[in-house]
Amino acid sequence: MTLDELKKLAVSMLDRSYVPYSHFPVGAALECSDGEVFTGCNIENAAYSPTLCAERVAVGKAVSEGHTDFVRIVVAGRSENFCTPCGVCRQLLYEFNPDMEVISLNAKGEELSVPLRVLLPHGFGPDYLLKE
Protein backbone atom coordinates (compact mmCIF):
# COMPACT_ATOMS: atom_id res chain seq x y z
CA MET A 1 0.00 0.00 0.00
CA THR A 2 1.31 3.44 -0.82
CA LEU A 3 1.69 6.09 1.84
CA ASP A 4 -0.96 8.22 0.11
CA GLU A 5 -3.46 5.33 0.28
CA LEU A 6 -2.65 4.78 3.94
CA LYS A 7 -3.12 8.49 4.67
CA LYS A 8 -6.51 8.49 2.89
CA LEU A 9 -7.66 5.55 5.00
CA ALA A 10 -6.69 7.35 8.21
CA VAL A 11 -8.46 10.52 7.12
CA SER A 12 -11.57 8.55 6.11
CA MET A 13 -11.88 7.32 9.69
CA LEU A 14 -12.32 10.87 11.03
CA ASP A 15 -15.99 10.82 10.08
CA ARG A 16 -16.53 7.56 11.96
CA SER A 17 -15.19 8.93 15.24
CA TYR A 18 -17.61 9.08 18.16
CA VAL A 19 -16.62 12.36 19.83
CA PRO A 20 -19.65 14.01 21.47
CA TYR A 21 -17.53 15.52 24.27
CA SER A 22 -14.22 16.69 22.83
CA HIS A 23 -15.38 17.14 19.23
CA PHE A 24 -11.81 16.10 18.35
CA PRO A 25 -12.00 13.25 15.83
CA VAL A 26 -8.94 11.09 15.23
CA GLY A 27 -8.47 8.44 12.57
CA ALA A 28 -5.72 5.84 12.26
CA ALA A 29 -4.50 3.36 9.67
CA LEU A 30 -2.04 0.72 10.90
CA GLU A 31 0.03 -1.21 8.36
CA CYS A 32 1.44 -4.67 9.12
CA SER A 33 4.58 -6.14 7.59
CA ASP A 34 2.49 -8.37 5.30
CA GLY A 35 0.66 -5.33 3.89
CA GLU A 36 -2.57 -5.88 5.82
CA VAL A 37 -4.05 -2.60 7.10
CA PHE A 38 -6.31 -2.04 10.11
CA THR A 39 -8.16 1.22 10.72
CA GLY A 40 -9.50 2.84 13.84
CA CYS A 41 -11.27 5.93 15.11
CA ASN A 42 -11.54 7.37 18.58
CA ILE A 43 -14.55 6.37 20.65
CA GLU A 44 -15.37 8.62 23.61
CA ASN A 45 -17.29 7.81 26.76
CA ALA A 46 -19.01 10.10 29.26
CA ALA A 47 -16.82 8.62 32.02
CA TYR A 48 -13.70 9.64 30.01
CA SER A 49 -11.42 6.81 31.23
CA PRO A 50 -13.07 4.17 29.01
CA THR A 51 -12.47 6.35 25.96
CA LEU A 52 -10.54 4.55 23.21
CA CYS A 53 -8.03 6.27 20.98
CA ALA A 54 -8.04 5.54 17.25
CA GLU A 55 -4.60 3.95 17.45
CA ARG A 56 -5.69 1.53 20.18
CA VAL A 57 -8.78 0.57 18.19
CA ALA A 58 -6.62 -0.22 15.15
CA VAL A 59 -4.13 -2.22 17.25
CA GLY A 60 -6.95 -4.15 18.91
CA LYS A 61 -8.45 -5.03 15.54
CA ALA A 62 -5.08 -6.14 14.21
CA VAL A 63 -4.13 -8.26 17.22
CA SER A 64 -7.57 -9.88 17.36
CA GLU A 65 -7.00 -10.96 13.74
CA GLY A 66 -3.57 -12.42 14.53
CA HIS A 67 -1.37 -9.54 13.36
CA THR A 68 1.37 -8.11 15.58
CA ASP A 69 4.15 -7.17 13.15
CA PHE A 70 3.46 -3.45 12.61
CA VAL A 71 5.63 -1.29 10.35
CA ARG A 72 3.89 2.09 10.28
CA ILE A 73 0.81 3.96 11.38
CA VAL A 74 -0.82 7.14 10.10
CA VAL A 75 -2.71 9.24 12.65
CA ALA A 76 -4.97 11.98 11.28
CA GLY A 77 -6.68 14.89 12.99
CA ARG A 78 -8.51 18.07 12.04
CA SER A 79 -6.47 20.59 14.01
CA GLU A 80 -3.66 22.87 12.88
CA ASN A 81 -1.21 20.79 14.94
CA PHE A 82 0.07 17.39 13.93
CA CYS A 83 -2.01 14.63 15.50
CA THR A 84 0.58 12.57 17.34
CA PRO A 85 -0.33 9.53 19.47
CA CYS A 86 -0.93 10.12 23.17
CA GLY A 87 1.40 8.58 25.74
CA VAL A 88 -0.77 5.48 26.26
CA CYS A 89 -0.90 4.83 22.51
CA ARG A 90 2.85 5.35 22.19
CA GLN A 91 3.40 2.73 24.89
CA LEU A 92 0.99 0.28 23.28
CA LEU A 93 2.64 0.65 19.86
CA TYR A 94 6.10 0.33 21.46
CA GLU A 95 5.14 -3.13 22.68
CA PHE A 96 4.98 -4.34 19.08
CA ASN A 97 7.67 -2.34 17.28
CA PRO A 98 9.69 0.48 18.89
CA ASP A 99 11.13 1.31 15.47
CA MET A 100 7.85 1.62 13.57
CA GLU A 101 7.21 4.77 11.57
CA VAL A 102 4.59 7.14 13.00
CA ILE A 103 3.14 9.55 10.45
CA SER A 104 1.05 12.34 11.96
CA LEU A 105 -1.25 14.51 9.83
CA ASN A 106 -2.80 17.88 10.49
CA ALA A 107 -5.98 19.36 8.98
CA LYS A 108 -4.08 20.58 5.92
CA GLY A 109 -2.83 17.06 5.19
CA GLU A 110 0.73 18.02 6.04
CA GLU A 111 2.69 15.20 7.58
CA LEU A 112 5.28 14.68 10.27
CA SER A 113 7.09 11.33 10.14
CA VAL A 114 8.95 10.21 13.27
CA PRO A 115 10.21 6.83 14.45
CA LEU A 116 8.23 5.67 17.48
CA ARG A 117 11.46 5.37 19.48
CA VAL A 118 11.87 9.16 19.11
CA LEU A 119 8.30 9.83 20.29
CA LEU A 120 8.79 7.53 23.28
CA PRO A 121 12.43 7.56 24.33
CA HIS A 122 13.33 4.98 26.96
CA GLY A 123 10.00 3.22 26.42
CA PHE A 124 9.06 0.34 28.68
CA GLY A 125 9.37 -2.93 26.78
CA PRO A 126 9.52 -6.66 27.39
CA ASP A 127 13.23 -6.43 28.23
CA TYR A 128 12.32 -4.57 31.44
CA LEU A 129 10.37 -7.52 32.82
CA LEU A 130 11.93 -10.11 35.09
CA LYS A 131 12.74 -13.37 33.36
CA GLU A 132 12.41 -16.72 35.07
Side-chain angles (χ1 to χ4, degrees):
M1 171 165 290
T2 68
L3 177 56
D4 283 342
E5 291 169 328
L6 199 63
K7 288 165 49 175
K8 285 179 186 176
L9 278 175
V11 170
S12 75
M13 295 307 295
L14 291 169
D15 290 331
R16 293 191 179 181
S17 292
Y18 177 74
V19 290
Y21 310 107
S22 72
H23 307 289
F24 191 89
V26 178
L30 176 66
E31 185 176 16
C32 301
S33 63
D34 66 359
E36 188 85 22
V37 174
F38 295 89
T39 56
C41 61
N42 53 331
I43 305 166
E44 293 182 346
N45 186 281
Y48 297 122
S49 289
T51 293
L52 294 172
C53 297
E55 301 91 323
R56 286 188 280 154
V57 170
V59 168
K61 288 168 67 175
V63 171
S64 70
E65 295 297 323
H67 295 268
T68 58
D69 192 13
F70 310 142
V71 293
R72 64 182 172 174
I73 189 168
V74 174
V75 183
R78 288 193 174 135
S79 70
E80 293 180 21
N81 297 312
F82 292 108
C83 194
T84 60
C86 73
V88 171
C89 289
R90 293 175 192 197
Q91 178 61 49
L92 180 64
L93 292 167
Y94 193 94
E95 176 75 16
F96 298 99
N97 182 359
D99 297 310
M100 72 184 300
E101 180 182 15
V102 178
I103 301 152
S104 301
L105 304 179
N106 63 13
K108 297 176 187 174
E110 298 167 331
E111 67 183 69
L112 171 68
S113 178
V114 181
L116 179 57
R117 197 178 290 280
V118 172
L119 287 176
L120 186 66
H122 312 289
F124 186 88
D127 293 342
Y128 283 74
L129 299 175
L130 295 175
K131 308 228 188 300
E132 292 185 48

